[in-house]
């Protein structure tokens, strides 16, 4: 947290930048108000990089468009019905929104867009006091009607209006509280947190797409765990992601197992650490993080209390993958994300046991083949899934996975393992066997693929001989 003087100096420098100064002058010349608002002002006080330039004005969307057209390299109005006009000015992307006074009617999943006429009224209707800050331009006057500066200094999230009213206006703000708690490292003010619990059911009025986007933003923070805890403790997760609170399995004195909920949060944190430290993926990676928090959601449905105090979770990987796909579809995630997360959960147990009996080259090839494009993510998830406090066991598993990755690298270099294919393609199979396209070609292809996985590269001639021998011995083979 920077001092107020240092923050104002940063804001002054921002106001002097070509994009902001040009925009401020244009609005002043047109007789309209303009203010830098929300995140950029907040981040100036937090000493964070200012990435987005968001403005608000008393001008209508049509008037905003008329002002920015002459001074912009490009402009767009896809958010026009919500009062937002975007533009690129002096190389900077900016968004200007007409003062708003939206509210939900209590039944609709989307707010009724109502334009306002006052900056102060616009600010007090925003989600949290730390986001209800503005810098009037061009005069550079700080506007803080709700005590946002004090809350920034204290590290507190609080709504400008009564929390019940604010969350009633837009229930998604409760999920935003979780995201900002994680993103900023702030504590939610007690009355605001109580209101989240009291109004948790209101989140069901929000569209699945908006819930999805907010949950994704939470997962993409540097440490999502405090936000997830808030969603679970408030009861909001029960409404939008019930599989996560369901991980809090009851543990009795006779049957002991790892706390699955706490384990999953630890796996998420460790997956993020690996994602960052390995540097092999573009970080943050949503698929890795979804797979990490959801990887064990099949355990509640598969838990069995065994004799002698043991607890089993047989096939929780398969059940968990099915549950994850169902939940992600309900939240309107795209098909590629759903498929990738499901596949990772299916495969997340595959490695365990490698350290007890080293795999054959064939097993390593199959591991790579089954992971496909998710191999690097599977490396991360599998390593992150080791949360034992037994240092010797953790080291043994870590060394075993190091060995597996080294073997994958060696085989890949020798065999181009990432693109494992039979040594004869479909046309060559048809020519060798003298058959036409049909199911038999697919069967032959699968035979050659298994041969490739089992024995590696044997050459086209040898593959053709083995194919002919297999075909000759196949029941019902055609000449």
């Amino acid at each position: 947290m920077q001092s107020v003087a240092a923050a104002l100096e940063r804001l002054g420098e921002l106001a002097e930048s070509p994009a902001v100064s040009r925009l401020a002058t244009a609005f002043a010349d047109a007789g309209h108000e303009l203010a830098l608002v929300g995140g950029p002002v907040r981040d100036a006080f937090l000493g964070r990089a200012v990435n987005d330039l968001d403005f608000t004005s008393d001008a209508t969307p049509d008037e905003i468009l008329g002002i920015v057209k002459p001074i912009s390299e490009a402009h767009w109005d896809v958010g026009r019905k919500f009062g937002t006009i975007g533009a690129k000015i002096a190389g900077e992307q900016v968004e200007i929104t007409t003062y708003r006074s939206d509210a939900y009617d209590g039944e609709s999943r989307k707010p009724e867009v109502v334009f306002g006429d006052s900056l102060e009224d616009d600010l007090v209707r925003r989600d949290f006091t730390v986001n209800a800050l503005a810098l009037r331009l061009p005069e550079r006057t700080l506007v803080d009607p709700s005590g946002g500066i004090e809350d920034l200094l204290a590290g507190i999230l609080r709504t400008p209006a009564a929390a019940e009213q604010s969350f009633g206006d837009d229930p998604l703000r409760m999920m935003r509280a979780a995201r900002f708690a994680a993103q900023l490292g702030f504590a939610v003010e007690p009355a605001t947190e109580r209101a989240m619990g009291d109004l948790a059911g209101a989140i069901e009025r929000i569209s699945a797409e908006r819930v999805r986007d907010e949950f994704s933003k939470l997962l993409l923070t540097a440490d999502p765990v405090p936000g997830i805890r808030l969603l679970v403790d408030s009861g909001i997760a029960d409404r939008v992601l019930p599989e996560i609170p369901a991980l809090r399995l009851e543990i009795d004195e006779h049957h002991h197992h790892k706390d699955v909920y706490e384990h999953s949060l630890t796996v998420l944190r460790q997956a993020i650490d690996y994602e960052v430290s390995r540097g092999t993926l573009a970080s943050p990676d949503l698929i890795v993080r979804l797979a990490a928090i959801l990887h064990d959601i099949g355990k509640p449905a598969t838990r069995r209390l065994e004799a002698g105090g043991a607890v089993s979770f047989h096939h929780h990987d398969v059940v968990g993958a099915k549950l994850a796909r169902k939940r992600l579809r309900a939240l309107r995630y795209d098909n590629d994300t759903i498929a990738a997360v499901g596949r990772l959960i299916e495969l997340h147990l595959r490695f365990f046991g490698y350290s007890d009996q080293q795999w054959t080259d064939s097993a390593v090839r199959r591991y790579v083949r089954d992971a496909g494009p998710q191999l690097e993510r599977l490396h991360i998830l599998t390593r992150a899934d080791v949360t034992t406090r037994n240092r010797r066991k953790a080291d043994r598993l870590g060394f075993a996975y190091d060995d597996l990755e080294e073997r994958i690298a060696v085989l890949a270099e020798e065999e181009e393992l990432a693109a494992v294919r039979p040594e004869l393609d479909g046309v060559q199979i048809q020519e060798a066997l003298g058959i036409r396209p049909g199911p038999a070609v697919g069967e032959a292809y699968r035979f050659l693929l298994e041969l490739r996985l089992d024995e590696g590269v044997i050459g086209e001639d040898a593959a053709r001989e083995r194919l002919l021998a297999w075909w000759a011995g196949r029941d019902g083979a055609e000449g």
Side-chain angles (χ1 to χ4, degrees):
M1 178 71 188
Q2 293 197 333
S3 68
V4 173
L8 290 175
E9 183 177 350
R10 283 193 71 196
L11 288 171
E13 293 171 357
L14 187 59
E16 292 174 357
S17 68
V20 177
S21 61
R22 191 177 301 175
L23 198 62
T25 299
F27 272 78
D29 290 346
H32 284 290
E33 298 177 5
L34 183 72
L36 185 67
V37 68
V41 183
R42 177 200 68 215
D43 289 343
F45 281 88
L46 294 175
R48 296 162 57 99
V50 175
N51 298 314
D52 300 312
L53 293 177
D54 297 324
F55 299 86
T56 188
S57 172
D58 63 339
T60 66
D62 287 342
E63 289 169 335
I64 294 172
L65 199 55
I67 294 170
V68 301
K69 271 185 178 180
I71 62 169
S72 62
E73 296 103 67
H75 58 272
W76 48 93
D77 60 357
V78 290
R80 191 172 189 160
K81 66 179 180 180
F82 300 109
T84 300
I85 301 297
K88 187 175 183 180
I89 300 173
E92 296 279 354
Q93 186 169 310
V94 303
E95 286 191 348
I96 309 101
T97 301
T98 305
Y99 295 154
R100 296 266 291 269
S101 57
D102 306 349
Y104 275 80
D105 60 14
E107 297 181 4
S108 171
R109 286 175 173 258
K110 294 183 180 180
E112 178 186 359
V113 178
V114 179
F115 296 142
D117 54 15
S118 160
L119 174 59
E120 287 74 9
D121 288 347
D122 176 275
L123 292 176
V124 297
R125 286 183 173 274
R126 291 179 178 257
D127 52 7
F128 303 103
T129 59
V130 297
N131 294 329
L133 303 169
L135 184 72
R136 285 190 184 276
L137 299 168
E139 55 266 48
R140 305 184 190 179
T141 303
L142 186 65
V143 182
D144 177 18
S146 306
I149 301 299
E150 289 81 357
D151 288 345
L152 276 175
L153 292 169
I156 289 174
L157 285 175
R158 180 172 58 87
T159 55
E164 292 78 7
Q165 176 186 333
S166 181
F167 295 153
D169 283 347
D170 185 353
L172 190 67
R173 289 171 175 171
M174 296 186 290
M175 291 191 70
R176 287 171 63 83
R179 193 237 301 181
F180 283 122
Q183 180 179 316
L184 303 177
F186 284 12
V188 178
E189 181 258 344
T192 302
E193 187 169 354
R194 284 194 301 272
M196 290 175 66
D198 293 341
L199 296 174
I203 198 66
E204 294 178 358
R205 303 206 318 259
I206 301 301
S207 68
E209 291 83 358
R210 294 185 72 209
V211 169
R212 172 203 64 206
D213 290 347
E214 197 56 53
F215 182 63
S216 296
K217 289 177 182 177
L218 166 60
L219 282 183
L220 294 173
T221 62
D223 181 12
V225 169
I228 292 174
R229 289 192 187 280
L230 186 57
L231 292 179
V232 170
D233 294 344
S234 65
I236 292 170
D238 287 312
R239 313 287 183 146
V240 297
L241 275 159
E243 294 80 6
I244 295 178
L247 294 171
R248 296 177 298 180
L249 299 177
E250 182 179 349
I251 302 175
D252 63 41
E253 59 181 317
H254 302 295
H255 293 83
H256 300 285
H257 62 79
K258 189 177 295 182
D259 185 318
V260 183
Y261 174 62
E262 292 298 331
H263 165 73
S264 298
L265 295 179
T266 300
V267 170
L268 174 59
R269 274 187 165 140
Q270 293 187 167
I272 292 171
D273 288 343
Y274 280 119
E275 171 196 298
V276 173
S277 63
R278 286 169 69 93
T280 48
L281 297 174
S283 183
D285 187 275
L286 181 62
I287 290 172
V288 163
R289 299 177 185 209
L290 282 168
I293 193 59
L294 299 176
H295 79 285
D296 272 349
I297 61 172
K299 282 189 171 180
T302 58
R303 183 172 72 155
R304 298 291 180 270
L305 306 180
E306 311 287 357
V311 180
S312 67
F313 302 97
H314 296 307
H315 306 302
H316 78 267
D317 46 349
V318 177
V319 173
K322 182 178 179 180
L323 292 173
R325 292 187 186 103
K326 182 178 179 181
R327 177 54 54 195
L328 296 178
R329 278 195 296 269
L331 289 173
R332 306 291 192 271
Y333 278 92
D334 63 272
N335 291 336
D336 289 345
T337 296
I338 294 170
V341 173
R343 192 62 170 153
L344 288 168
I345 295 174
E346 281 179 343
L347 296 175
H348 83 274
L349 294 180
R350 180 74 65 87
F351 160 76
F352 295 97
Y354 178 91
S355 60
D356 298 325
Q357 184 175 1
Q358 194 177 63
W359 291 351
T360 63
D361 285 351
S362 175
V364 174
R365 293 186 191 100
R366 280 181 167 79
Y367 189 74
V368 174
R369 189 269 310 269
D370 292 347
Q374 306 310 321
L375 181 61
E376 176 57 24
R377 292 184 172 112
L378 184 59
H379 290 335
I380 291 171
L381 178 61
T382 303
R383 287 182 179 276
D385 199 21
V386 178
T387 63
T388 178
R389 295 180 182 178
N390 183 321
R391 177 46 52 193
R392 290 183 64 185
K393 182 178 180 182
D395 287 345
R396 177 172 58 81
L397 290 170
F399 294 146
Y401 209 88
D402 289 343
D403 181 68
L404 175 59
E405 286 203 69
E406 288 175 9
R407 290 184 63 196
I408 289 172
V410 170
L411 285 172
E413 186 174 349
E414 292 175 351
E415 307 177 8
E416 298 183 3
L417 186 57
V420 173
R421 296 183 180 88
E423 292 180 78
L424 303 179
D425 61 24
V427 173
Q428 291 171 306
I429 289 171
Q430 293 173 59
E431 291 175 349
L433 300 180
I435 61 176
R436 296 179 178 180
V441 178
E443 190 178 346
Y445 187 93
R446 288 189 291 274
F447 164 76
L448 289 174
L449 179 58
E450 290 300 314
L451 181 67
R452 171 75 169 80
L453 290 168
D454 285 338
E455 301 184 23
V457 177
I458 62 174
E460 287 189 14
D461 291 342
R464 187 174 288 104
E465 289 179 11
R466 298 285 290 274
L467 174 66
L468 291 171
W470 167 81
W471 183 254
R474 174 177 170 271
D475 289 339
E478 299 176 6

